[in-house]
Amino acid sequence: MKISFDRLPDDARLWVFATSRALTALERDELFAEVDGFLEHWTAHGAPVVASRDWRDDRFLLIGVDERATGLSGCSIDALIRSLATLEHRIGAAVVGTPPIWYREGREITTASREGFETLATDGSVGPDTTVFDNTLASVGELRAGRFEIPARESWHGVAFFQESGT
């Protein structure tokens, strides 16, 4: 059962998916239609899943689920992933399995593999103040608290790539 994203409780479970590139308006509309249709009929063990989606920066699809209303199962989560993977072919952009690190270069959003980001950190192209997107957020409350787009030093990126420098 699809609801408005702002109606999800802070403890709602969150998944962050990033498209491999910015989508055109037509592609975005197709993404929304597919995701909204899926969420409207999503079930876990026959019970409707209370869920919503949000869209950020023309790139990030956020799916939130109120697990107090209905607990999810591995099969129901797999159904979401399969639905998104099927959609990838129609819109011509990856949604699942995109590189794990998203960050800003000026105003542009870009991505790198862990190894690629480590190289950028080593050569000084990115640093502790680089704005990153934390796609490991687990709850809508973390998103609302401003934990999605933050300086690298305030996220797992800081520990993984900048801890040795003491920043």
Side-chain angles (χ1 to χ4, degrees):
M1 162 188 335
K2 184 177 179 291
I3 64 170
S4 172
F5 199 84
D6 61 355
R7 290 187 48 213
L8 288 170
D10 282 348
D11 65 348
R13 190 167 175 184
L14 182 69
W15 286 270
V16 178
F17 299 97
T19 59
S20 56
R21 61 174 172 76
L23 302 182
T24 66
L26 186 62
E27 292 166 337
R28 184 191 62 231
D29 291 347
E30 186 168 353
L31 172 79
F32 291 171
E34 177 75 22
V35 170
D36 290 348
F38 178 85
L39 296 180
E40 189 61 41
H41 300 349
W42 196 8
T43 62
H45 301 293
V49 174
V50 177
S52 189
R53 61 117 174 123
D54 197 10
W55 182 245
R56 303 279 171 105
D57 295 299
D58 291 325
R59 182 70 51 103
F60 300 101
L61 173 65
L62 311 175
I63 304 286
V65 172
D66 182 355
E67 289 191 288
R68 287 188 275 173
T70 306
L72 291 179
S73 65
C75 292
S76 59
I77 296 167
D78 288 347
L80 170 64
I81 302 301
R82 275 193 310 275
S83 176
L84 293 173
T86 299
L87 177 66
E88 290 178 332
H89 301 290
R90 291 202 316 267
I91 64 173
V95 181
V96 294
T98 58
I101 299 179
W102 294 87
Y103 63 101
R104 285 199 186 270
E105 285 185 326
R107 297 180 65 161
E108 295 296 315
I109 297 172
T110 191
T111 186
S113 65
R114 285 183 67 93
E115 297 80 14
F117 196 80
E118 183 174 23
T119 299
L120 294 169
T122 300
D123 73 18
S125 297
V126 297
D129 293 322
T130 297
T131 299
V132 296
F133 296 88
D134 189 350
N135 57 0
T136 66
L137 297 183
S139 74
V140 170
E142 290 174 302
L143 177 71
R144 289 179 180 145
R147 301 291 311 150
F148 181 53
E149 185 175 354
I150 56 177
R153 67 180 137 60
E154 296 177 19
S155 74
W156 67 267
H157 305 79
V159 173
F161 301 106
F162 306 110
Q163 190 172 14
E164 292 177 344
S165 66
T167 56

